[in-house]
Amino acid sequence: MTDYAHSVGRPLPAIDFTMVVACPDRGRQIAEAYEAAPVFEPSAIPVYKAFIRETVRQFQLLTRPTWRGGLGVAVVLSWRDPHAKAATMLDELRERRRLRIYMTAACGNPHPYLADHENDMFRAVHDAFGHAATGSDFGPDGEEAAWLAHSYLYSPLARRALTTETRGQQAALIYGNQQGFPPPQKLCLLPAAFSELTNVTFRGAAR
């Protein structure tokens, strides 16, 4: 992850991601923006094209054999959600270099723009470079930390799509009008402020 960040000119800052916490007020604002956004926003297409290119590059690093400079992780698509807890995913990734992900085709919630295999690649790199790299769980604080960590691997343009796909969907799930139900996936852009890396709360700071 660190080498990749340097290779794209975005070195990782010295951040203790275990201190990142979700801000309910911000979460409700993001959820409102996500729910109000159209399902298909044509102006978001250039952003998502950049997002796809950068996601593919990260996926190639993740799965490329170690002797070719990659991480040598085997990504396995699952018809069921393979991990109830992030800890089991982290153990499997560390001990077996295997990463199982819940495949898009099995979820009944297709993306309006990303092909299933593109969405699956994103799920893999987000679990690896967002959650596993920081030890973040799947709760609100862990998802916020995973968004922040993974954001540093994307260009500012592509980060707008990353924010929709992570912060937006998670906020709608946790704070939205249909809490607990996966929101529909969208091709849309949230207000730019929600993609700013400084727009985050750390433990001990006022929320």
Side-chain angles (χ1 to χ4, degrees):
M1 180 174 173
T2 300
D3 289 344
Y4 178 87
H6 278 285
S7 74
V8 294
R10 291 184 291 276
L12 297 176
I15 291 178
D16 183 354
F17 291 100
T18 66
M19 298 298 289
V20 175
V21 292
C23 171
D25 287 342
R26 184 189 299 114
R28 285 186 284 268
Q29 293 171 10
I30 296 174
E32 182 178 351
Y34 187 89
E35 292 178 337
V39 172
F40 194 97
E41 184 179 335
S43 61
I45 290 176
V47 175
Y48 269 76
K49 285 184 176 180
F51 173 72
I52 292 169
R53 287 194 301 270
E54 295 177 30
T55 296
V56 168
R57 184 175 178 182
Q58 293 175 29
F59 186 82
Q60 290 171 340
L61 170 66
L62 179 67
T63 58
R64 187 183 304 127
T66 54
W67 60 270
R68 292 181 52 202
L71 299 178
V73 172
V75 174
V76 179
L77 303 181
S78 174
W79 283 96
R80 297 180 180 179
D81 191 347
H83 301 293
K85 297 181 179 180
T88 61
M89 179 193 72
L90 299 180
D91 288 343
E92 190 171 277
L93 184 58
R94 180 171 52 251
E95 296 172 5
R96 302 182 61 183
R97 285 188 178 270
R98 186 177 77 166
L99 178 61
R100 289 181 293 158
I101 63 166
Y102 191 15
M103 63 193 300
T104 304
C107 298
N109 188 10
H111 198 282
Y113 184 74
L114 298 178
D116 283 359
H117 74 278
E118 293 168 337
N119 207 31
D120 290 340
M121 283 193 288
F122 171 66
R123 291 182 177 188
V125 297
H126 186 64
D127 279 351
F129 299 135
H131 289 280
T134 59
S136 302
D137 62 22
F138 297 143
D141 293 348
E143 292 290 352
E144 183 77 346
W147 164 78
L148 180 62
H150 204 184
S151 289
Y152 284 101
L153 301 190
Y154 284 96
S155 66
L157 179 66
R159 191 186 308 142
R160 297 286 304 278
L162 170 72
T163 299
T164 296
E165 297 298 307
T166 55
R167 248 187 168 183
Q169 291 183 25
Q170 282 297 318
L173 177 69
I174 298 168
Y175 305 105
N177 291 322
Q178 293 184 301
Q179 294 178 23
F181 292 90
Q185 296 192 85
K186 296 183 175 185
L187 172 75
C188 68
L189 299 179
L190 303 179
F194 295 137
S195 296
E196 294 296 328
L197 300 179
T198 55
N199 192 1
V200 66
T201 303
F202 290 88
R203 199 176 309 280
R207 299 196 193 189

